[in-house]
Amino acid sequence: MSNYALSHLDHLESEAIFILRETAAQFENPVLLFSGGKDSIVMAHLAYKAFAPAKIPFALMHVDTGHNFPETMVFRDDFVAQIGARLVVASVQKSIDEGRVKEETGANASRNGLQTVTLLDAIEDNQFDAALGGGRRDEEKARAKERFFSHRDDFGQWDPKNQRPELWNIFNGRKQHGEHFRVFPLSNWTEMDVWQYIKKENIALPHIYFSHEREVFERNGALLAVTDFVTVQEHEVVEKRIVRFRTIGDATCTGAVESEAADLDAVIQEVAAARQTERGTRADDKRSETAMEDRKKEGYF
């Protein structure tokens, strides 16, 4: 008798692929939210495996703030071409130009929160009825409240106190006209699981995730990179440091960490010893104690 045993990564992969296939079966027009960050890259990789040898049966959508790290954009376009997927780009700049949102001003201005309107408009314009996201419960307390299939009303809003029960692997995707679902196949993964899976599957990532020399400055406890989208104040000191990023988002609010981790093994060791949460460098989460939950209730990712 053969010894057939699954690792914890095999279990997580199997669960995520089941949810991806269940989403394709229950919804008419799902879309996979793709930022070029490690979680959405793993999601796209899982979707590719879930439906191979056929192509991924839904589009990838990037909500583009226009304030992205250039390395991420180059990687995004190369990755999408490599897997033969269809990419939908929803532009925050377009939302600003149309008067749908008002750009923030001041030293700490960011387009991160403006993405909500652009996202909801794109979901409605394209008639998407499910948006697959790479959110994980270990990232942030508001994300820990999400179900695998998370209902959104016809205004795109989320009510964490009124979610449908999920018993075993029974997912309820029933909805009224105009409503949609957010689906989170990586809910049970941790940051460490993601990195170990990336190593196991030999998945390519933007090099911004690995240590490199970069011009940075400190602001409100975060180490921000010098980009065209951030104005360095007179009292702020720009210096070159060896850094990497644990998350990738809008360049105006995504902080770096000082790190010598230049490859996957070193990153995994660093994550195992980390005392700060993955999103601890994100200025957008520090605007208030409930910043993420407030954004999610309005329709954020």
Side-chain angles (χ1 to χ4, degrees):
M1 183 176 178
S2 61
N3 181 18
Y4 182 70
L6 296 177
S7 70
H8 80 287
L9 291 179
D10 294 329
H11 279 288
L12 290 172
E13 179 191 66
S14 176
E15 179 183 68
I17 285 177
F18 172 77
I19 294 168
L20 284 159
R21 290 172 175 165
E22 194 71 9
T23 303
Q26 290 200 33
F27 297 95
E28 295 179 1
N29 189 24
V31 68
L32 192 154
L33 301 176
F34 186 81
S35 65
K38 67 181 188 310
D39 299 313
S40 61
I41 292 170
V42 167
M43 284 273 291
H45 176 83
L46 288 163
Y48 185 82
K49 291 186 74 171
F51 302 103
K55 288 187 176 181
I56 299 174
F58 37 76
L60 276 54
M61 182 166 76
H62 181 210
V63 179
D64 182 0
T65 66
H67 289 173
N68 304 289
F69 292 100
E71 302 96 319
T72 310
M73 293 297 92
V74 172
F75 183 92
R76 180 198 72 180
D77 294 339
D78 290 346
F79 181 82
V80 169
Q82 181 184 346
I83 65 173
R86 182 169 69 90
L87 178 67
V88 175
V89 177
S91 169
V92 171
Q93 182 62 57
K94 183 169 179 286
S95 298
I96 295 171
D97 294 342
E98 293 176 347
R100 294 284 295 152
V101 293
K102 184 177 180 181
E103 187 149 28
E104 295 181 355
T105 58
N108 296 313
S110 171
R111 289 185 173 182
N112 192 60
L114 308 185
Q115 295 179 90
T116 300
V117 172
T118 306
L119 170 64
L120 295 179
D121 284 350
I123 289 173
E124 183 173 349
D125 292 345
N126 292 279
Q127 295 293 296
F128 294 130
D129 55 357
L132 289 147
R136 308 187 319 268
R137 290 182 176 128
D138 79 320
E139 284 183 83
E140 207 275 344
K141 54 184 180 294
R143 287 190 164 164
K145 298 178 182 179
E146 294 272 20
R147 299 283 197 259
F148 284 109
F149 276 27
S150 199
H151 174 264
R152 297 296 190 271
D153 66 19
D154 52 357
F155 295 104
Q157 296 172 325
W158 174 59
D159 184 356
K161 300 185 296 298
N162 187 29
Q163 298 191 91
R164 297 172 180 176
E166 289 184 339
L167 305 177
W168 302 284
N169 59 355
I170 301 173
F171 304 124
N172 184 350
R174 295 186 64 180
K175 61 187 183 309
Q176 301 295 325
H177 179 71
E179 298 174 345
H180 72 275
F181 273 75
R182 304 289 171 84
V183 182
F184 301 102
L186 304 187
S187 287
N188 285 340
W189 296 50
T190 66
E191 181 186 12
M192 176 63 82
D193 295 327
V194 171
W195 280 109
Q196 289 178 331
Y197 186 74
I198 287 168
K199 181 183 179 186
K200 174 177 174 288
E201 297 287 304
N202 194 27
I203 299 172
L205 294 177
H207 72 262
I208 195 171
Y209 276 114
F210 303 100
S211 68
H212 56 285
E213 187 179 70
R214 201 175 196 103
E215 284 192 329
V216 296
F217 62 97
E218 291 190 28
R219 176 179 292 173
N220 301 327
L223 206 55
L224 296 181
V226 176
T227 65
D228 294 337
F229 319 120
V230 180
T231 303
V232 181
Q233 305 298 298
E234 287 186 6
H235 66 279
E236 294 170 332
V237 179
V238 175
E239 54 189 336
K240 289 185 177 180
R241 297 193 195 178
I242 305 297
V243 301
R244 73 176 193 89
F245 291 85
R246 291 177 70 182
T247 66
I248 293 180
D250 193 88
T252 58
C253 61
T254 304
V257 293
E258 294 192 90
S259 170
E260 297 289 338
D263 57 37
L264 283 172
D265 288 328
V267 170
I268 289 170
Q269 288 184 13
E270 186 178 273
V271 170
R275 300 294 301 275
Q276 187 180 42
T277 65
E278 180 181 0
R279 294 187 66 92
T281 59
R282 294 288 292 260
D284 48 336
D285 290 353
K286 296 179 179 178
R287 290 194 170 191
S288 75
E289 180 65 25
T290 59
M292 172 65 86
E293 182 157 332
D294 292 343
R295 293 202 305 273
K296 287 179 72 67
K297 286 178 178 176
E298 295 171 353
Y300 189 72
F301 302 91

